[in-house]
Amino acid sequence: MSTRALRRLKGKQRGQEELDLGGLTLGGSPEEQAEAEEEEEEEEEEKRQLEAAEISPPSKGSSRKAKKNKAQKNFSNIYELIGDAEETGKHSAEEEAEKPDRNTGGTGNNNRDSDKNDQTHKDAFAKSSSGDKVRKKKKKKKKVTPEEGQEAAPDDDIDLLLENLEQSTGLSLQNDGCGGSDRRSVLHVEHRNLNPETELKRYFGARAVLGDQRPRQRNRQFHRTTWMTNPKDSWPRFSRPGISMTLLETKDGVHYFTFEHGREYQQVQFKFLDAVESMDPNNIVALLQLNPYHIDSLLQLSDVCRIQEDQEMARDLIERALYSFECAFHPLFSLTSGTSRLDYLRPENRAFYLALYKHMMFLEKRGCPRTALEYCKLILSLDPDSDPLCMLLLIDFLTLRSREYQSLLQLYQDWEEHRNLSQLPNFAFSTALCHFHLSQQDDMDHEESSKQKRHADLMLQNALIMFPGVLMPLLDLCTVQADPTVTAHNFFGPKSQLGQPPALAQLTALYLGRTYNLWREAPVMLWLEESVKEVLRRVDATDPLVEECQNKRKQRYQSAPRNIHRHVLLSEIKEATSSLPLEVTTQPVMGFDPLPPLDSVTSYTRPERLHVGASNESTLSLFFRSLLPNFNLQGGPRQEDDMEVARAGQELNQEVNRLMVAMRDMLANIRFQEPPREDNPYRDEEEWD
């Protein structure tokens, strides 16, 4: 193969090589012109052979490796063939255009030969530069033009297609009304933070948390992968308990779901209610042996185990309930997006709320406040407008425990306008504490630190002016002796605690019962002392804010809504539960459904049980009824005795009240005789032996 063919295979065009000035002659003889024409004919013949070899199919003797490389090359770059075809076509056209010039050369004088060579060099240089420009233009066209590169869309515009798909399906949170864009950042939940092992590994390391726990492949049960709980091999074999989730509607990108109970699950639910009325936990245990994933039975038995101080078993039952719920999730239901809603008015959905709440409290007691915060945000995202479990009274405590100060301040900033979070004692004090902790961080510059400190001072002073009844109980819980000037002042004295409304007393007791340990640190106490002195100075100076806050306390906090009462019962803080009104404490509270809403939406009702009236029954039948509530000696109920039964019930209540009053009087009038003294001569020696 000649040197020109090798040069062409390497991609070099004619005229790109360096000019050899020594080869240029002033005159051309006929022999030299004939030799040049023969060389040009040989070059054209070799070029035709090369083009025929490229067009013809490969021979059978070609190696498999060459085929594989060529296939991979063509598959990885779908534009290579198009570009090569265009380039070869253009080059061939240019070369054909050069042929007349080449053949006509060699017959002129010396000046014409030199001019021809110079022009050939310039044309070749122009061709090479124009070829580079064409390649650059083609690379740009691959990304933009849809006519010439329609196949580029699947590779280059995948992100754009995903964004369009998300907007078309309504999954974007920006469409959420009432500040949906703000709620995304506040209520966004991460899957990895729902696992407590993630937080424990951060504290103690993976080796300390997991150890040498390796699942045994033999006798291992394969469970469904879930986010909230890790299924255990000790659990009963899972089977569908009869719970399913249905999508009710979708509005503005928000999906509204509900749980549904099948016919068999409804029958089990009726049996569970009978077991609760029997007041015997063994009946619930027997029901769970037959239906190991019945939700309400798991919740109720978990409370029994917790009262008996079996925390491990109580937590295991709650995790089993969450696993049963997660296996029934709808494909569109999302734990992390913040766009999935569950109505608390439906009894089927309440168990999911309670299971999440109790699991969150177990995580907080276990020392995983960051994981508990994720579950708190998850509960709040299920119904952020109604907030049936009042997660806003708890989220500040978990945020402070997990040291997520910026997230609490962002929540306060986003929701203050439409939720008035500053009127809650927990947010008034916790946001000030967040600013103080941010000002104490080492990685913050001096100017930003002083700004955070001034903001913290102002917010704490305003909180003390708005809620003066918080200071003295807080100091008592922190075992700190208050200054005499503070205790003697009327603003922080006993009058501030006795004069606050009952609803405000509940909110104050809730906040102090949870967060008093966070105020025990020495820097926080010094900061609190400075703020109290400044508040007393403002009170003595008759600051108009003092009178304004006093009027707000008188007008507001007269009665707490039902969801706050439900939160107080679930919190089990003694100082808060003792301040509940009588209409709450006198009614029975069930652990599987505490204080159900008054406007519940029921999908199915429990069949009425047959109760026999207490009148006209013998003593023997009443005795058997006390032992067996379902005992009925007289057969079916009689409709004509309804009025008599009601009258007898009223008389029975009156008699019981009279009996209780008589018992109180009798106990009050009892006087015990003092034991005889040692100097009593009539004392029997063996009387006290």
Side-chain angles (χ1 to χ4, degrees):
M1 185 177 294
S2 64
T3 58
R4 291 186 180 86
L6 290 175
R7 188 171 58 247
R8 193 173 296 278
L9 285 176
K10 291 179 180 180
K12 296 181 179 180
Q13 299 294 331
R14 181 181 180 86
Q16 289 183 356
E17 63 275 1
E18 296 182 358
L19 292 177
D20 187 6
L21 298 178
L24 294 177
T25 57
L26 296 176
S29 62
E31 291 97 10
E32 292 177 352
Q33 293 179 1
E35 290 177 0
E37 290 177 359
E38 290 176 1
E39 289 177 358
E40 288 178 358
E41 290 176 0
E42 290 177 0
E43 183 179 354
E44 290 175 1
E45 183 66 22
E46 290 172 356
K47 190 173 81 170
R48 293 193 194 96
Q49 293 177 1
L50 288 174
E51 290 177 355
E54 290 177 358
I55 297 173
S56 62
S59 60
K60 296 182 180 180
S62 61
S63 63
R64 296 181 180 179
K65 186 175 181 180
K67 290 182 179 180
K68 184 177 181 181
N69 293 336
K70 186 175 180 181
Q72 291 178 354
K73 183 178 179 182
N74 294 337
F75 181 78
S76 61
N77 190 356
I78 59 178
Y79 309 103
E80 185 176 3
L81 294 177
I82 301 175
D84 293 340
E86 292 177 354
E87 291 179 2
T88 53
K90 289 184 179 180
H91 289 308
S92 61
E94 292 173 356
E95 290 174 359
E96 289 179 359
E98 288 178 352
K99 288 180 182 179
D101 298 334
R102 292 176 184 173
N103 296 329
T104 57
T107 58
N109 53 11
N110 299 334
N111 295 332
R112 185 178 297 176
D113 293 337
S114 61
D115 294 341
K116 184 184 71 171
N117 292 332
D118 294 338
Q119 186 67 27
T120 304
H121 177 68
K122 292 179 181 180
D123 294 340
F125 182 78
K127 290 175 189 175
S128 62
S129 61
S130 63
D132 295 337
K133 292 180 181 180
V134 170
R135 293 189 187 95
K136 291 180 180 179
K137 290 181 180 180
K138 288 178 181 178
K139 289 181 180 179
K140 293 180 181 179
K141 288 181 180 180
K142 289 177 184 178
K143 297 181 181 179
V144 180
T145 57
E147 294 83 1
E148 297 179 2
Q150 293 180 355
E151 298 177 355
D155 293 335
D156 297 336
D157 298 332
I158 292 178
D159 296 335
L160 182 61
L161 291 175
L162 290 177
E163 291 178 2
N164 295 334
L165 180 62
E166 184 178 3
Q167 293 176 0
S168 62
T169 54
L171 296 178
S172 179
L173 294 176
Q174 304 298 329
N175 298 329
D176 189 8
C178 189
S181 60
D182 297 334
R183 289 186 182 178
R184 169 171 184 146
S185 58
V186 172
L187 301 180
H188 181 67
V189 180
E190 296 183 6
H191 275 138
R192 62 186 182 89
N193 290 331
L194 293 175
N195 189 358
E197 292 184 357
T198 304
E199 186 173 4
L200 293 176
K201 290 176 185 177
R202 192 183 306 120
Y203 295 152
F204 308 107
R207 181 174 298 179
V209 175
L210 299 179
D212 296 333
Q213 296 178 2
R214 295 181 179 179
R216 298 179 179 178
Q217 300 297 331
R218 188 180 299 175
N219 299 329
R220 182 185 177 187
Q221 298 182 13
F222 292 94
H223 300 276
R224 177 179 175 179
T225 303
T226 53
W227 290 108
M228 295 187 294
T229 58
N230 293 324
K232 300 178 181 178
D233 294 336
S234 60
W235 289 358
R237 192 175 189 86
F238 179 77
S239 60
R240 294 288 180 180
I243 300 180
S244 60
M245 179 181 279
T246 305
L247 176 62
L248 297 178
E249 59 179 351
T250 301
K251 290 183 180 180
D252 299 330
V254 179
H255 306 285
Y256 295 88
F257 299 90
T258 184
F259 286 101
E260 292 183 350
H261 294 170
R263 290 184 176 272
E264 296 181 358
Y265 193 91
Q266 294 178 12
Q267 299 299 323
V268 178
Q269 186 73 11
F270 299 152
K271 295 179 182 178
F272 165 74
L273 297 177
D274 295 339
V276 171
E277 291 180 356
S278 67
M279 304 298 291
D280 188 1
N282 294 324
N283 294 334
I284 302 178
V285 174
L287 183 63
L288 273 178
Q289 290 178 354
L290 298 177
N291 306 276
Y293 288 94
H294 182 254
I295 303 298
D296 289 345
S297 299
L298 293 171
L299 297 179
Q300 191 71 23
L301 191 60
S302 175
D303 290 343
V304 174
C305 295
R306 185 172 51 82
I307 293 173
Q308 296 177 356
E309 298 183 356
D310 190 358
Q311 301 293 332
E312 186 68 25
M313 187 63 184
R315 184 171 64 248
D316 186 78
L317 293 173
I318 295 298
E319 291 178 358
R320 198 195 302 180
L322 286 177
Y323 178 75
S324 180
F325 271 123
E326 194 166 0
C327 291
F329 280 173
H330 193 274
L332 294 179
F333 185 81
S334 175
L335 295 171
T336 60
S337 65
T339 58
S340 299
R341 301 287 185 267
L342 284 174
D343 192 1
Y344 194 81
L345 298 179
R346 297 178 179 270
E348 297 86 351
N349 299 336
R350 295 173 200 162
F352 185 59
Y353 278 89
L354 296 174
L356 289 175
Y357 182 89
K358 294 180 179 182
H359 185 58
M360 174 190 65
M361 297 308 297
F362 279 126
L363 290 172
E364 192 272 330
K365 294 178 181 178
R366 190 181 174 186
C368 301
R370 184 66 181 87
T371 310
L373 176 62
E374 292 297 309
Y375 279 95
C376 183
K377 293 192 293 184
L378 173 59
I379 298 173
L380 184 59
S381 67
L382 294 177
D383 195 354
D385 297 327
S386 301
D387 193 10
L389 298 185
C390 278
M391 290 294 100
L392 290 177
L393 300 179
L394 180 63
I395 191 172
D396 63 300
F397 167 67
L398 296 175
T399 306
L400 289 172
R401 281 285 310 275
S402 57
R403 299 181 181 179
E404 297 287 336
Y405 306 125
Q406 291 292 349
S407 61
L408 181 62
L409 295 179
Q410 186 176 2
L411 173 64
Y412 179 80
Q413 181 181 0
D414 295 343
W415 286 24
E416 166 63 18
E417 183 177 357
H418 63 281
R419 298 298 289 268
N420 293 326
L421 298 182
S422 60
Q423 303 303 309
L424 297 175
N426 59 319
F427 268 93
F429 285 91
S430 296
T431 50
L433 192 58
C434 283
H435 282 290
F436 176 77
H437 284 301
L438 289 176
S439 66
Q440 301 297 314
Q441 292 181 354
D442 298 334
D443 56 348
M444 186 173 294
D445 56 354
H446 179 71
E447 184 179 357
E448 184 66 22
S449 178
S450 59
K451 180 180 178 182
Q452 294 286 348
K453 183 64 167 56
R454 290 193 301 268
H455 203 174
D457 294 341
L458 181 60
M459 294 190 71
L460 182 58
Q461 294 171 16
N462 294 338
L464 290 172
I465 293 174
M466 184 65 192
F467 308 104
V470 175
L471 179 62
M472 299 309 296
L474 177 61
L475 296 179
D476 293 339
L477 291 172
C478 295
T479 62
V480 174
Q481 184 67 31
D483 191 83
T485 58
V486 178
T487 56
H489 203 282
N490 292 330
F491 190 75
F492 289 118
K495 184 179 179 181
S496 63
Q497 302 178 29
L498 298 176
Q500 59 184 357
L504 183 57
Q506 295 176 17
L507 297 176
T508 302
L510 273 174
Y511 178 70
L512 294 176
R514 285 196 177 108
T515 61
Y516 71 93
N517 283 321
L518 302 177
W519 293 84
R520 282 185 170 181
E521 301 177 4
V524 177
M525 273 296 165
L526 293 176
W527 169 59
L528 178 61
E529 182 181 0
E530 296 174 358
S531 299
V532 169
K533 292 180 180 179
E534 182 63 24
V535 167
L536 292 179
R537 188 192 63 79
R538 293 174 61 179
V539 171
D540 295 336
T542 63
D543 193 332
L545 183 62
V546 178
E547 184 178 0
E548 180 183 353
C549 293
Q550 185 178 0
N551 295 331
K552 288 182 180 179
R553 288 195 302 271
K554 291 180 180 179
Q555 296 174 1
R556 304 172 183 176
Y557 312 107
Q558 296 301 322
S559 61
R562 195 173 180 85
N563 58 345
I564 293 183
H565 294 159
R566 188 182 301 116
H567 180 85
V568 171
L569 290 174
L570 290 174
S571 67
E572 297 182 353
I573 298 176
K574 295 180 181 179
E575 292 79 5
T577 55
S578 61
S579 60
L580 287 173
L582 292 177
E583 59 267 15
V584 177
T585 56
T586 54
Q587 59 179 326
V589 178
M590 299 298 177
F592 64 93
D593 191 7
L595 289 183
L598 301 178
D599 52 348
S600 299
V601 179
T602 57
S603 58
Y604 64 95
T605 57
R606 179 187 179 189
E608 297 181 359
R609 297 180 60 184
L610 301 178
H611 295 282
V612 182
S615 61
N616 298 329
E617 289 189 2
S618 62
T619 306
L620 183 62
S621 62
L622 292 176
F623 172 73
F624 280 111
R625 179 170 298 282
S626 64
L627 298 178
L628 302 173
N630 294 328
F631 177 77
N632 186 5
L633 183 62
Q634 299 178 355
R638 293 175 297 178
Q639 298 294 335
E640 62 271 11
D641 293 340
D642 290 341
M643 297 299 296
E644 297 180 1
V645 171
R647 192 181 302 111
Q650 295 178 358
E651 294 178 356
L652 180 61
N653 291 334
Q654 294 176 0
E655 293 295 333
V656 170
N657 292 333
R658 293 172 186 172
L659 180 61
M660 293 298 294
V661 172
M663 289 290 293
R664 292 194 190 98
D665 295 340
M666 182 183 68
L667 294 175
N669 296 328
I670 289 179
R671 296 291 184 270
F672 294 97
Q673 185 179 1
E674 296 181 358
R677 299 179 180 177
E678 294 181 357
D679 57 352
N680 189 1
Y682 300 102
R683 174 178 177 270
D684 191 359
E685 295 180 357
E686 299 179 356
E687 182 177 357
W688 301 101
D689 294 340

